[in-house]
Amino acid sequence: MASTEPKYEEAAGADDEDTGAQVAPIFQLEEVAVSTGEENENPIIDLKANLYRFDKDGNRWKERGAGTVKLLKHKETGKVLRVMRQSKTLKICANHLVLPTMMVQEHAGNEKSCVWHAPDFADGELKDELFCIRFASMENCKSFMEIFQEVAESQKKEENEDGSTAAAGLLEKLC
């Protein structure tokens, strides 16, 4: 009994024929310059992590996003931001100025995580939130905490230098 259906190889070979048809694009897309807002920043650290926010009402941690966390130092002002973007959408899930008063500490019971308090405006109103960030390794967590503490201390020194310079300038104007 012979089958009347064409074999798979014959059917696949028929699709490979060159018909000579030319298809022109309907729209011409032009290259667009995309600004992330990070052009005037120098990255200090860039690590993959998961970010959580503590929900006081539910008394539990809620995931804010998974992606890369960066400490970025502004080229002109010297201020440092902690910025985190989600991996696939690149949506910002954390954007905090590193203040001299901020402290980051290891999360109790987990050596790969650390916590800190920061002002947050994600819900439409400014409120102090407790954040937790979890890294893939203990080494990444420790290096993040060390670099963060160094940055916070350097911000404290810069703030003191700026304050003393401003005070000296005011005293000169008075004399």
Side-chain angles (χ1 to χ4, degrees):
M1 290 192 191
S3 174
T4 58
E5 294 179 25
K7 293 183 179 179
Y8 177 71
E9 291 113 20
E10 293 173 8
D15 290 338
D16 291 341
E17 283 184 32
D18 184 18
T19 61
Q22 301 259 337
V23 179
I26 298 172
F27 297 102
Q28 292 293 332
L29 299 178
E30 296 177 19
E31 226 175 283
V32 177
V34 177
S35 172
T36 62
E38 298 176 8
E39 288 78 17
N40 293 329
E41 314 279 344
N42 289 328
I44 298 171
I45 192 168
D46 186 354
L47 298 169
K48 289 188 177 189
N50 292 353
L51 181 70
Y52 301 91
R53 175 187 64 86
F54 189 74
D55 181 22
K56 295 174 188 170
D57 298 332
N59 199 25
R60 61 187 173 116
W61 290 100
K62 287 190 172 182
E63 187 173 9
R64 177 63 72 88
T68 57
V69 63
K70 298 177 187 177
L71 291 177
L72 302 171
K73 186 171 186 173
H74 196 273
K75 292 177 183 175
E76 295 172 13
T77 64
K79 293 185 179 185
V80 178
L81 290 174
R82 181 184 305 126
V83 177
M84 184 168 178
R85 294 182 183 269
Q86 293 180 1
S87 292
K88 294 181 183 177
T89 63
L90 300 180
K91 180 181 173 187
I92 292 179
C93 53
N95 188 3
H96 310 293
L97 189 62
V98 177
L99 303 172
T101 57
M102 284 186 171
M103 293 279 299
V104 65
Q105 57 191 10
E106 189 175 298
H107 189 274
N110 192 342
E111 296 175 336
K112 297 179 184 179
S113 301
C114 54
V115 295
W116 73 92
H117 283 277
D120 184 47
F121 196 74
D123 297 331
E125 63 182 65
L126 188 62
K127 56 184 173 181
D128 192 44
E129 294 280 3
L130 178 62
F131 290 98
C132 176
I133 193 164
R134 188 180 75 219
F135 295 95
S137 70
M138 202 171 31
E139 293 80 22
N140 285 351
C141 183
K142 289 194 185 301
S143 66
F144 177 80
M145 289 174 56
E146 288 171 4
I147 291 172
F148 179 82
Q149 291 300 336
E150 289 173 13
V151 167
E153 289 174 13
S154 72
Q155 295 297 305
K156 195 178 292 185
K157 289 177 187 173
E158 288 179 19
E159 188 176 89
N160 288 340
E161 289 172 5
D162 292 344
S164 62
T165 306
L170 290 173
L171 286 174
E172 285 178 15
K173 288 181 183 179
L174 290 174
C175 297

